[in-house]
Amino acid sequence: MVLEIIIGAILIAFGIMTIYFSIGKGVSDPKLMGMLILGLLSAGAGIFVLVKALTLIVILKKIAGLALGAAGLFFVLGFPDIVDYQMEGMGRAGVFIGIVLLVIGAWLLFF
């Protein structure tokens, strides 16, 4: 499992660096066009190696973790505390709910 992650990361890094240097030099040269294609294939192979072991349940858990974490971060940092249209203590309740959502989202994302 760890070896697959390392191989996938190396392939992706090689592909991205090859694409970056190929585009930086110009794509009019046929050799550089071949290097660009090699970089695309390498990055695609690295992504395939990393993703092939994932199941749908794992992917859905990570997406739910990202969504709950983002909502929790919004509640913690950006929840409005304006007393014109809400009761005075609702800001604290929003921050509390945000912390709960942030912890649940981090748990789903990392474990």
Side-chain angles (χ1 to χ4, degrees):
M1 179 72 177
V2 174
L3 185 63
E4 289 177 351
I5 294 171
I6 292 171
I7 290 172
I10 289 172
L11 283 171
I12 291 172
F14 176 74
I16 290 173
M17 293 300 291
T18 305
I19 292 168
Y20 176 74
F21 289 129
S22 296
I23 291 175
K25 297 284 185 181
V27 292
S28 60
D29 188 17
K31 289 183 182 179
L32 287 177
M33 192 61 134
M35 290 300 292
L36 180 65
I37 292 172
L38 178 69
L40 288 171
L41 290 174
S42 175
I47 291 171
F48 176 74
V49 166
L50 290 177
V51 173
K52 75 175 181 167
L54 295 177
T55 62
L56 181 64
I57 299 299
V58 172
I59 293 171
L60 290 177
K61 266 180 57 176
K62 301 304 176 189
I63 291 173
L66 279 173
L68 287 174
L73 198 62
F74 168 73
F75 274 106
V76 168
L77 298 177
F79 194 76
D81 194 20
I82 300 173
V83 293
D84 290 341
Y85 58 90
Q86 64 187 7
M87 294 184 346
E88 192 170 329
M90 291 303 291
R92 291 187 192 101
V95 171
F96 178 76
I97 293 170
I99 291 171
V100 170
L101 289 177
L102 192 60
V103 169
I104 292 171
W107 178 264
L108 287 175
L109 189 61
F110 294 120
F111 300 108

